[in-house]
Amino acid sequence: MEKKGILLVVSGFSGAGKGTLMKELLRRHDNYALSVSATTRAPREGEEEGREYFFKTREEFEQMIAKGQLIEYASYVGNYYGTPRAYVEEQLFKGRDVVLEIEIQGARKVKERFPDTVLLFVSPPSAKELRRRLTERGTESREVIENRLKRAVEEAQGIEDYDYFVINDDLNACVEHVHQIVQCERSRTGRSREQIQSIREELKTFSK
Amino acid sequence: MEKKGILLVVSGFSGAGKGTLMKELLRRHDNYALSVSATTRAPREGEEEGREYFFKTREEFEQMIAKGQLIEYASYVGNYYGTPRAYVEEQLFKGRDVVLEIEIQGARKVKERFPDTVLLFVSPPSAKELRRRLTERGTESREVIENRLKRAVEEAQGIEDYDYFVINDDLNACVEHVHQIVQCERSRTGRSREQIQSIREELKTFSK
């Protein structure tokens, strides 16, 4: 009666610290598997096939779409990005918890296909802090920062579609909180159907 | 923007260890308040007004019903049992998490009135273990034990109405797990509306 793993979708404002959060979650705890996206965009320096992305030609990607091999996909600045289905299903079946970083449209699609998915939105403690983090990187132009803030306004519209709204103030605390959310989700009645049914059957044999 | 507390309803088979579980939860963690029921049954030896129950006359109890002062009530073996509304609301408003031990009909009524309530069903790891615990007490007759097991069969029918199904195998682990469930519930999007709205408004002022 081994339980299936939990599919955890992480979204959040650019600058919320999703990347570090997920990296730490996987480094500290054994049971997670990171879903790697497929994309048609060219690899950047230092990126490795199967680590950052599975790099595909447009033709290959469109074949994956046609064959239903992607849980969700989207087109962004002329390139495709998508989540390969096989890896996610394999890992969940093995009982591993799969972490997936995508934005809101993708998150909604995943939840439609896998209603048990846990959707988590990560936010800095305040919008001011978000701006500070974006500015402090120092690598982005003023224009890029302003675009990210504008995008954040749009993203903020959809937060209610998520199950959890997690504040990333202290990284350490946030990683453990997210890990706990996954542990607590395991005890949801909807995920314990077999266990409940088994106790129910056993009880009946006693009261005969 | 202090958050309201969480109302936690605990139900479970007789012999699941609910009582000890809740006692430990309150002893170890500060933020909980235990809701004390009102009843028309006579106090037993050692029971104190306001600790085990608020003891009421039938007339007083029926007045409480008439005035809407009870969140839920039921009649059991000729006596009324109910949950006084004022205490629960006061504590929640102060940000304390209120724990309430009632059975399934009551749990359903509470969830109707307070849809944010977290319903938790506690179970031993197996029906065999439940029978063992009931038998080991040594204080109950064979007939009482059999009645409890029969009752357990009925109770088991309603488990899907609960949010969480928690196995009480190791008391220590179970107390901390339940505490974590309450902590994780705090991050539910539905409980974070004000926080989300506040970040949303703040973001808008930036992108103007």
Side-chain angles (χ1 to χ4, degrees), chain B residues 183-200:
Chain B
Q183 305 323 305
C184 292
E185 278 288 328
R186 266 188 238 296
S187 301
R188 287 239 151 215
T189 321
R191 290 185 212 284
S192 312
R193 285 183 205 107
E194 283 181 42
Q195 223 172 354
I196 294 168
Q197 199 48 33
S198 149
I199 287 197
R200 209 175 258 156

Side-chain angles (χ1 to χ4, degrees), chain A residues 160 162 165 177 187 189 200, chain B residues 156 160 162 165 177 187 189 200:
Chain A
E160 276 86 352
Y162 287 78
F165 178 71
H177 187 51
S187 301
T189 319
R200 208 175 258 157
Chain B
E160 276 85 353
Y162 288 78
F165 178 72
H177 187 52
S187 301
T189 321
R200 209 175 258 156

Side-chain angles (χ1 to χ4, degrees), chain B residues 21-197:
Chain B
L21 179 69
M22 290 168 66
K23 220 161 108 183
E24 274 302 295
L25 191 65
L26 269 92
R27 196 180 64 78
R28 293 191 199 175
H29 300 285
D30 276 344
N31 206 47
Y32 296 98
L34 187 69
S35 161
V36 176
S37 297
T39 183
T40 57
R41 88 150 162 73
R44 291 181 192 147
E45 215 184 302
E47 286 186 342
E48 255 178 49
E49 165 72 12
R51 193 182 61 188
E52 279 80 12
Y53 287 100
F54 295 107
F55 297 99
K56 302 287 177 190
T57 64
R58 181 160 279 269
E59 202 190 341
E60 285 169 338
F61 200 101
E62 286 172 352
Q63 280 226 333
M64 290 179 84
I65 299 175
K67 288 183 181 163
Q69 290 170 354
L70 298 167
I71 298 177
E72 57 82 36
Y73 69 95
S75 179
Y76 181 69
V77 204
N79 282 303
Y80 281 128
Y81 295 80
T83 304
R85 174 188 297 276
Y87 179 80
V88 170
E89 290 187 339
E90 265 167 41
Q91 296 296 319
L92 291 177
F93 191 76
K94 282 186 197 165
R96 296 190 79 191
D97 303 313
V98 179
V99 187
L100 190 55
E101 185 194 334
I102 40 176
E103 37 57 272
I104 187 156
Q105 286 84 355
R108 285 191 188 119
K109 280 182 207 159
V110 174
K111 187 96 178 181
E112 263 171 44
R113 305 262 168 106
F114 298 88
D116 272 352
T117 305
V118 176
L119 301 186
L120 198 138
F121 194 93
V122 186
S123 170
S126 68
K128 216 165 156 181
E129 171 66 14
L130 178 66
R131 186 171 59 176
R132 199 191 63 77
R133 287 188 199 172
L134 289 173
T135 317
E136 249 189 11
R137 286 180 180 177
T139 52
E140 254 86 54
S141 70
R142 209 190 137 88
E143 203 194 328
V144 169
I145 293 169
E146 276 176 8
N147 276 334
R148 293 231 164 119
L149 284 171
K150 265 183 202 150
R151 201 176 148 74
V153 174
E154 289 164 32
E155 286 165 337
Q157 295 315 310
I159 300 179
E160 276 85 353
D161 287 353
Y162 288 78
D163 299 305
Y164 294 93
F165 178 72
V166 170
I167 301 289
N168 185 9
D169 193 356
D170 173 74
L171 176 68
N172 183 44
C174 190
V175 171
E176 292 317 310
H177 187 52
V178 170
H179 180 61
Q180 283 300 340
I181 286 175
V182 175
Q183 305 323 305
C184 292
E185 278 288 328
R186 266 188 238 296
S187 301
R188 287 239 151 215
T189 321
R191 290 185 212 284
S192 312
R193 285 183 205 107
E194 283 181 42
Q195 223 172 354
I196 294 168
Q197 199 48 33

Side-chain angles (χ1 to χ4, degrees), chain A:
Chain A
M1 219 166 52
E2 195 51 50
K3 275 191 181 184
K4 262 184 62 188
I6 286 173
L7 181 54
L8 178 71
V9 166
V10 178
S11 306
F13 305 126
S14 161
K18 295 185 298 284
T20 322
L21 179 68
M22 290 169 67
K23 219 162 110 183
E24 275 303 294
L25 191 65
L26 268 91
R27 196 180 65 79
R28 292 192 200 175
H29 300 285
D30 276 344
N31 207 48
Y32 296 98
L34 186 69
S35 161
V36 175
S37 298
T39 184
T40 56
R41 86 148 163 73
R44 289 182 193 146
E45 213 184 305
E47 286 185 340
E48 255 177 49
E49 166 72 13
R51 193 181 65 190
E52 280 79 12
Y53 286 100
F54 293 106
F55 296 99
K56 304 283 176 193
T57 65
R58 181 160 278 268
E59 201 190 340
E60 285 168 337
F61 200 100
E62 286 172 352
Q63 279 226 334
M64 291 180 83
I65 300 175
K67 289 185 181 163
Q69 291 170 353
L70 298 166
I71 299 176
E72 58 81 37
Y73 69 93
S75 178
Y76 181 68
V77 203
N79 282 304
Y80 280 129
Y81 295 80
T83 305
R85 173 189 295 275
Y87 179 81
V88 170
E89 290 187 340
E90 265 166 42
Q91 297 296 320
L92 291 177
F93 191 75
K94 283 188 196 164
R96 298 190 78 189
D97 303 313
V98 179
V99 187
L100 189 57
E101 186 195 333
I102 41 176
E103 36 58 272
I104 187 156
Q105 286 85 352
R108 285 189 189 122
K109 280 183 208 160
V110 174
K111 186 98 178 179
E112 262 171 45
R113 306 259 168 109
F114 298 88
D116 273 352
T117 304
V118 176
L119 300 186
L120 198 137
F121 194 93
V122 186
S123 170
S126 67
K128 215 165 157 181
E129 172 64 16
L130 177 66
R131 187 172 56 178
R132 199 191 61 77
R133 288 188 198 173
L134 289 174
T135 317
E136 249 188 12
R137 287 181 178 177
T139 52
E140 254 87 53
S141 70
R142 209 190 136 89
E143 202 194 328
V144 169
I145 293 168
E146 277 177 7
N147 276 336
R148 293 233 163 117
L149 284 171
K150 264 182 203 152
R151 199 173 150 77
V153 175
E154 288 164 32
E155 285 165 338
Q157 295 314 310
I159 299 179
E160 276 86 352
D161 287 352
Y162 287 78
D163 300 304
Y164 294 93
F165 178 71
V166 170
I167 301 288
N168 185 9
D169 194 356
D170 172 72
L171 176 69
N172 183 44
C174 189
V175 170
E176 293 316 311
H177 187 51
V178 171
H179 180 60
Q180 283 300 338
I181 286 175
V182 175
Q183 305 321 305
C184 292
E185 278 287 328
R186 266 188 237 297
S187 301
R188 286 242 150 213
T189 319
R191 288 184 213 284
S192 313
R193 284 182 207 112
E194 284 182 42
Q195 223 172 355
I196 294 169
Q197 197 49 32
S198 148
I199 288 198
R200 208 175 258 157
E201 297 299 326
E202 207 190 337
L203 274 172
K204 274 186 201 158
T205 66
F206 286 167
S207 65
K208 263 172 198 161

